[in-house]
Amino acid sequence: MPHFDLVILGAGPAGASAAVTARKKGLSVALIDKARFPRPKLCGGLITGRCATHLRDVFNLDIDPQLFETRRNFEFFMDGKPLGRLDGVPPTHLTMRWDFDQLLVAKALAAGAADYTGQRVETLDLEANRIILQSGETLDYTCLIGADGVQSIVARALFGDPFDKSRVGFALEIEAPSQAPTPDTPIRIDFAAADWGYGWSFPKRGSTTIGLGGLHDKNPDMKGHLARYLDTLHTGQDARVKGHFLPFGGYRSVPGRTNVLLAGDAAGFVDPITGEGIGHAIQSGALAATAAADAIAAGRPDTALALYRPKTRPIRTALRSARLLRPVIFSPALKPFFASTFRASRTLKRDYMHLLSGDAEYPQLLARTALRLPRAALRWALRRKRSVSR
């Protein structure tokens, strides 16, 4: 029966990051995933500046133009009406998850993680620190990291449900034909393409990734939203539609238990405004592996969560701040105010882009918004009054 210091369930960005970090610290690691890589993955494939920093720190991976397409231009819409365009913003990068995830898994395996990809878990026994694979092979572990996504079986074993049904989001996406983009072709963001969410069009060399997402409870007709959005973009609707739950701000304040830790989407570490989760996945995977290694080195694997939770505080603080800001952007009641203010304010657009680039964090933006909001609301009310009086 093989024994590993650390078993990681899920070989996406969070799991691969945890595996690479744990191997650097000398742990024996098993990396399990039901899929064989490369594999398809629903995701726009937007790599923010913050995420690029984590890629460099964890994987020693720079933005290679063979894998990433850098964009510096964005255009914004609401209900098909333009809210403005920004050019020359801090760079963001587009990639295909098929290739991106395969590269990260390859780096984890090259670092010495034992390869258990393409194998499903039959039994997860948290009390015995044991996993039985569908093949019948049994693995023992000292610590376990659940990096197995929004439908995490580790989170289910810990908490009964993998996510909070009242807070979870849902996204639909297609790969449309490529628009033959140039470096100046903008990324398109459509606020309110879904209720409490937005739509996106990411132009890439091989295809155009188009999708939308929003809170699941607020969107009983998500397919209808997608059809209308594709009509807005004048895009054919014969492409295969993929759907996936998205932990849209319902993060775990306690991401694990004793020697079992949750990272990435399994912990709900997804931005509730932008829906971006790759950066937090890579960061939290590395933090989880570091906590596990420190706990094992101290001879107290049961303290892994106590070490991990403070390390994730900046992530959780950012997500909590974003959740407070989300109604300003997505609430139907504030929709006219947000559209008018966003259209008129270059500063607000720049703030949004600085979040994506990693040059600013949500707590700072929340503080600035609290200072600006009363003045912006007053200006909007005066404009609305003049418009009505005419």
Side-chain angles (χ1 to χ4, degrees), residues 43-87:
C43 178
L46 181 70
I47 303 298
T48 66
R50 184 183 297 103
C51 181
T53 299
H54 297 317
L55 282 172
R56 191 162 47 249
D57 292 344
V58 175
F59 295 98
N60 194 28
L61 181 64
D62 289 322
I63 300 300
D64 183 343
Q66 297 299 315
L67 184 64
F68 302 97
E69 301 176 54
T70 298
R71 296 282 182 269
R72 291 179 176 270
N73 306 315
F74 275 70
E75 56 184 359
F76 302 94
F77 294 82
M78 181 177 280
D79 294 333
K81 299 174 182 176
L83 297 183
R85 173 171 169 148
L86 279 180
D87 296 316

Side-chain angles (χ1 to χ4, degrees), residues 150-151 162-171 196 214-219 222 244-250 326:
V150 64
Q151 300 273 23
F163 52 76
D164 185 338
K165 293 181 176 64
S166 67
R167 290 183 172 179
V168 74
F170 194 77
W196 287 84
L215 291 176
H216 187 250
D217 279 356
K218 306 288 187 182
N219 290 278
M222 190 68 85
H244 201 272
F245 284 108
L246 188 69
F248 211 41
R326 183 165 60 179

Side-chain angles (χ1 to χ4, degrees), residues 325-343:
L325 277 172
R326 183 165 60 179
V328 177
I329 299 174
F330 296 130
S331 169
L334 294 178
K335 184 175 170 181
F337 165 69
F338 174 76
S340 176
T341 304
F342 195 88
R343 183 184 295 110

Side-chain angles (χ1 to χ4, degrees), residues 164-233:
D164 185 338
K165 293 181 176 64
S166 67
R167 290 183 172 179
V168 74
F170 194 77
L172 293 176
E173 189 175 82
I174 68 166
E175 292 295 336
S178 174
Q179 302 170 357
T182 71
D184 293 330
T185 302
I187 288 172
R188 174 170 173 149
I189 301 295
D190 285 75
F191 296 109
D195 291 336
W196 287 84
Y198 72 102
W200 58 87
S201 177
F202 295 164
K204 304 174 185 177
R205 285 186 292 262
S207 66
T208 303
T209 305
I210 300 172
L212 51 75
L215 291 176
H216 187 250
D217 279 356
K218 306 288 187 182
N219 290 278
D221 185 27
M222 190 68 85
K223 287 185 177 179
H225 286 310
L226 180 61
R228 288 185 288 274
Y229 186 46
L230 294 177
D231 282 342
T232 298
L233 299 180

Side-chain angles (χ1 to χ4, degrees), residues 260-273:
V260 180
L261 310 177
L262 298 174
D265 285 16
F269 293 157
V270 172
D271 189 308
I273 290 178

